[in-house]
Amino acid sequence: MNIVTIFDDLQLARNKLVNPLGLVPTMGALHAGHLSLIRRAREECQSTAVSIFVNPTQFAPLEDLKAYPRDVDRDLGLLEKEQVDLVWIPDAEELYPAHFQTWVEVDQLTKVLEGGFRPGHFRGVTTIVSKLFNAFQPQKAYFGQKDAQQTIVIQRMVKDLNYALEIVVCRTIREPDGLAISSRNAHLDPEQRKAASVLFQALSAAERAFNQGRHDAEQLRQIMREILEMETQAEVQYVSVANPTTLEELDGNADRALLSTAVLFGKTRLIDNVMVKNDKR
Ligand code: AMP
């Protein structure tokens, strides 16, 4: 496994890799969710690369950038076991040199849901992801359904900017009680951790209702809200039933929908989603 920090070294190492190259962008603190992306890349590509970079531009000033968990040695041990070919661990100065002023921004899709609560977040994401695509020149890049809006925004960016690569969206890996695995789960105290499975319960109840033929968007939002509001530790930020292409909130009967929610437990903010589709049409 080749581990590089400097951009020039990355280019040299990348040029030695056989195509197709699969890239898995991460912020480190690797867990089973990340590993599932890496395994999928290994299955589908000749070479696999991982980036580890806690991207400061996708955190708002009051968000948890400083508290974000970091353990590079542990991460590298895991990546070695997964037989990853190339790992890039750049410094912030490498990616954001002095006088940096060029941004990539997806317009409408980033104004709602996560974008509504985290202004500037997606501008940071699309800028760093496009820099990673330019640096690695991968044929495929792997992202988790866990961050559904992120995958939709990145797919839009890839189309709009003519990136010649395929985005592969991998299913959400969950704890036994349904909680989506996330490095932020470590910030939950034991009571909050227990309560946090309510996101999955709410989404699953709405998914079941949809699959039983209840397709009215507002009814589905109501099902989720009722379950989330029963959990006293949960402070709900949004409950959404949106068009999975435009991310606009749906009215009336939905044929396809992204059900999603964001919930605070104390200071810890959790998100989760499921995609539903009416197979009968
Ligand atoms: P992060 O390090 O949080 O930026 O995540 C890196 C990638 O892993 C993103 O594409 C995430 O969507 C994905 N990911 C994070 N958690 C999970 C999970 N529980 N299941 C599947 N993918 C995940």
Side-chain angles (χ1 to χ4, degrees), residues 5-8 88 90-97 131:
T5 52
I6 309 291
F7 178 64
D8 292 347
W88 191 25
D91 289 335
E93 297 75 45
E94 187 79 22
L95 283 165
Y96 297 108
K131 284 165 72 71

PDB file of all heavy atoms in Angstrom, residues 5-8 88 90-97 131:
ATOM      1  N   THR A   5       1.416  12.030   0.971  1.00  0.00           N
ATOM      2  CA  THR A   5       0.806  13.260   1.496  1.00  0.00           C
ATOM      3  C   THR A   5       0.879  14.390   0.461  1.00  0.00           C
ATOM      4  O   THR A   5      -0.066  15.175   0.337  1.00  0.00           O
ATOM      5  CB  THR A   5       1.502  13.732   2.795  1.00  0.00           C
ATOM      6  OG1 THR A   5       2.905  13.802   2.554  1.00  0.00           O
ATOM      7  CG2 THR A   5       1.239  12.785   3.941  1.00  0.00           C
ATOM      8  N   ILE A   6       1.991  14.462  -0.274  1.00  0.00           N
ATOM      9  CA  ILE A   6       2.231  15.566  -1.215  1.00  0.00           C
ATOM     10  C   ILE A   6       1.539  15.271  -2.554  1.00  0.00           C
ATOM     11  O   ILE A   6       1.566  14.143  -3.032  1.00  0.00           O
ATOM     12  CB  ILE A   6       3.754  15.714  -1.465  1.00  0.00           C
ATOM     13  CG1 ILE A   6       4.511  15.784  -0.135  1.00  0.00           C
ATOM     14  CG2 ILE A   6       4.064  16.909  -2.357  1.00  0.00           C
ATOM     15  CD1 ILE A   6       4.298  17.023   0.660  1.00  0.00           C
ATOM     16  N   PHE A   7       0.972  16.292  -3.154  1.00  0.00           N
ATOM     17  CA  PHE A   7       0.227  16.122  -4.413  1.00  0.00           C
ATOM     18  C   PHE A   7       1.096  15.532  -5.528  1.00  0.00           C
ATOM     19  O   PHE A   7       0.656  14.642  -6.269  1.00  0.00           O
ATOM     20  CB  PHE A   7      -0.366  17.469  -4.840  1.00  0.00           C
ATOM     21  CG  PHE A   7      -1.107  17.401  -6.146  1.00  0.00           C
ATOM     22  CD1 PHE A   7      -2.255  16.641  -6.275  1.00  0.00           C
ATOM     23  CD2 PHE A   7      -0.639  18.097  -7.257  1.00  0.00           C
ATOM     24  CE1 PHE A   7      -2.941  16.564  -7.487  1.00  0.00           C
ATOM     25  CE2 PHE A   7      -1.315  18.024  -8.476  1.00  0.00           C
ATOM     26  CZ  PHE A   7      -2.465  17.257  -8.582  1.00  0.00           C
ATOM     27  N   ASP A   8       2.356  16.003  -5.645  1.00  0.00           N
ATOM     28  CA  ASP A   8       3.240  15.477  -6.716  1.00  0.00           C
ATOM     29  C   ASP A   8       3.460  13.975  -6.539  1.00  0.00           C
ATOM     30  O   ASP A   8       3.497  13.225  -7.517  1.00  0.00           O
ATOM     31  CB  ASP A   8       4.592  16.196  -6.699  1.00  0.00           C
ATOM     32  CG  ASP A   8       4.445  17.647  -7.121  1.00  0.00           C
ATOM     33  OD1 ASP A   8       3.366  18.008  -7.642  1.00  0.00           O
ATOM     34  OD2 ASP A   8       5.394  18.429  -6.909  1.00  0.00           O
ATOM     35  N   TRP A  88      -4.133   8.730   0.056  1.00  0.00           N
ATOM     36  CA  TRP A  88      -3.664  10.128   0.094  1.00  0.00           C
ATOM     37  C   TRP A  88      -4.160  10.762   1.382  1.00  0.00           C
ATOM     38  O   TRP A  88      -5.369  10.757   1.650  1.00  0.00           O
ATOM     39  CB  TRP A  88      -4.193  10.902  -1.116  1.00  0.00           C
ATOM     40  CG  TRP A  88      -3.559  12.255  -1.285  1.00  0.00           C
ATOM     41  CD1 TRP A  88      -2.322  12.650  -0.842  1.00  0.00           C
ATOM     42  CD2 TRP A  88      -4.112  13.388  -1.963  1.00  0.00           C
ATOM     43  NE1 TRP A  88      -2.076  13.945  -1.216  1.00  0.00           N
ATOM     44  CE2 TRP A  88      -3.145  14.426  -1.899  1.00  0.00           C
ATOM     45  CE3 TRP A  88      -5.316  13.623  -2.630  1.00  0.00           C
ATOM     46  CZ2 TRP A  88      -3.359  15.682  -2.468  1.00  0.00           C
ATOM     47  CZ3 TRP A  88      -5.519  14.876  -3.196  1.00  0.00           C
ATOM     48  CH2 TRP A  88      -4.564  15.895  -3.122  1.00  0.00           C
ATOM     49  N   PRO A  90      -3.568  14.242   2.608  1.00  0.00           N
ATOM     50  CA  PRO A  90      -2.969  15.571   2.425  1.00  0.00           C
ATOM     51  C   PRO A  90      -3.149  16.459   3.649  1.00  0.00           C
ATOM     52  O   PRO A  90      -4.060  16.258   4.452  1.00  0.00           O
ATOM     53  CB  PRO A  90      -3.760  16.144   1.241  1.00  0.00           C
ATOM     54  CG  PRO A  90      -5.076  15.448   1.306  1.00  0.00           C
ATOM     55  CD  PRO A  90      -4.857  14.105   1.930  1.00  0.00           C
ATOM     56  N   ASP A  91      -2.259  17.467   3.774  1.00  0.00           N
ATOM     57  CA  ASP A  91      -2.469  18.530   4.767  1.00  0.00           C
ATOM     58  C   ASP A  91      -3.459  19.531   4.189  1.00  0.00           C
ATOM     59  O   ASP A  91      -3.615  19.628   2.974  1.00  0.00           O
ATOM     60  CB  ASP A  91      -1.161  19.291   5.011  1.00  0.00           C
ATOM     61  CG  ASP A  91      -0.174  18.439   5.776  1.00  0.00           C
ATOM     62  OD1 ASP A  91      -0.614  17.529   6.494  1.00  0.00           O
ATOM     63  OD2 ASP A  91       1.036  18.697   5.617  1.00  0.00           O
ATOM     64  N   ALA A  92      -4.067  20.323   5.088  1.00  0.00           N
ATOM     65  CA  ALA A  92      -5.017  21.340   4.625  1.00  0.00           C
ATOM     66  C   ALA A  92      -4.329  22.333   3.685  1.00  0.00           C
ATOM     67  O   ALA A  92      -4.916  22.776   2.698  1.00  0.00           O
ATOM     68  CB  ALA A  92      -5.630  22.063   5.813  1.00  0.00           C
ATOM     69  N   GLU A  93      -3.040  22.643   3.933  1.00  0.00           N
ATOM     70  CA  GLU A  93      -2.330  23.626   3.097  1.00  0.00           C
ATOM     71  C   GLU A  93      -2.109  23.094   1.679  1.00  0.00           C
ATOM     72  O   GLU A  93      -1.958  23.855   0.728  1.00  0.00           O
ATOM     73  CB  GLU A  93      -0.953  24.002   3.683  1.00  0.00           C
ATOM     74  CG  GLU A  93      -0.999  24.678   5.044  1.00  0.00           C
ATOM     75  CD  GLU A  93      -1.317  23.710   6.168  1.00  0.00           C
ATOM     76  OE1 GLU A  93      -0.718  22.614   6.180  1.00  0.00           O
ATOM     77  OE2 GLU A  93      -2.176  24.028   7.018  1.00  0.00           O
ATOM     78  N   GLU A  94      -2.060  21.754   1.567  1.00  0.00           N
ATOM     79  CA  GLU A  94      -1.872  21.138   0.257  1.00  0.00           C
ATOM     80  C   GLU A  94      -3.121  21.363  -0.610  1.00  0.00           C
ATOM     81  O   GLU A  94      -3.027  21.635  -1.795  1.00  0.00           O
ATOM     82  CB  GLU A  94      -1.635  19.633   0.479  1.00  0.00           C
ATOM     83  CG  GLU A  94      -1.247  18.851  -0.737  1.00  0.00           C
ATOM     84  CD  GLU A  94       0.223  19.019  -1.111  1.00  0.00           C
ATOM     85  OE1 GLU A  94       1.027  19.397  -0.228  1.00  0.00           O
ATOM     86  OE2 GLU A  94       0.542  18.803  -2.277  1.00  0.00           O
ATOM     87  N   LEU A  95      -4.266  21.251   0.020  1.00  0.00           N
ATOM     88  CA  LEU A  95      -5.522  21.367  -0.733  1.00  0.00           C
ATOM     89  C   LEU A  95      -6.060  22.796  -0.760  1.00  0.00           C
ATOM     90  O   LEU A  95      -6.782  23.174  -1.681  1.00  0.00           O
ATOM     91  CB  LEU A  95      -6.561  20.411  -0.145  1.00  0.00           C
ATOM     92  CG  LEU A  95      -6.306  18.965  -0.577  1.00  0.00           C
ATOM     93  CD1 LEU A  95      -7.077  17.983   0.266  1.00  0.00           C
ATOM     94  CD2 LEU A  95      -6.659  18.771  -2.045  1.00  0.00           C
ATOM     95  N   TYR A  96      -5.758  23.553   0.265  1.00  0.00           N
ATOM     96  CA  TYR A  96      -6.207  24.952   0.303  1.00  0.00           C
ATOM     97  C   TYR A  96      -5.001  25.859   0.527  1.00  0.00           C
ATOM     98  O   TYR A  96      -4.788  26.368   1.625  1.00  0.00           O
ATOM     99  CB  TYR A  96      -7.239  25.151   1.419  1.00  0.00           C
ATOM    100  CG  TYR A  96      -8.499  24.334   1.196  1.00  0.00           C
ATOM    101  CD1 TYR A  96      -8.772  23.213   1.980  1.00  0.00           C
ATOM    102  CD2 TYR A  96      -9.404  24.669   0.189  1.00  0.00           C
ATOM    103  CE1 TYR A  96      -9.916  22.444   1.758  1.00  0.00           C
ATOM    104  CE2 TYR A  96     -10.553  23.913  -0.030  1.00  0.00           C
ATOM    105  CZ  TYR A  96     -10.798  22.813   0.755  1.00  0.00           C
ATOM    106  OH  TYR A  96     -11.926  22.063   0.546  1.00  0.00           O
ATOM    107  N   PRO A  97      -4.199  26.050  -0.522  1.00  0.00           N
ATOM    108  CA  PRO A  97      -3.012  26.899  -0.369  1.00  0.00           C
ATOM    109  C   PRO A  97      -3.420  28.355  -0.131  1.00  0.00           C
ATOM    110  O   PRO A  97      -4.580  28.727  -0.341  1.00  0.00           O
ATOM    111  CB  PRO A  97      -2.296  26.742  -1.717  1.00  0.00           C
ATOM    112  CG  PRO A  97      -3.340  26.284  -2.672  1.00  0.00           C
ATOM    113  CD  PRO A  97      -4.364  25.528  -1.880  1.00  0.00           C
ATOM    114  N   LYS A 131     -11.857  18.410  -6.477  1.00  0.00           N
ATOM    115  CA  LYS A 131     -10.384  18.399  -6.390  1.00  0.00           C
ATOM    116  C   LYS A 131      -9.863  16.961  -6.313  1.00  0.00           C
ATOM    117  O   LYS A 131      -8.856  16.614  -6.936  1.00  0.00           O
ATOM    118  CB  LYS A 131      -9.920  19.213  -5.173  1.00  0.00           C
ATOM    119  CG  LYS A 131     -10.013  20.727  -5.405  1.00  0.00           C
ATOM    120  CD  LYS A 131      -9.900  21.518  -4.114  1.00  0.00           C
ATOM    121  CE  LYS A 131      -8.510  21.519  -3.525  1.00  0.00           C
ATOM    122  NZ  LYS A 131      -7.504  22.309  -4.259  1.00  0.00           N
TER     123      LYS A 131
END
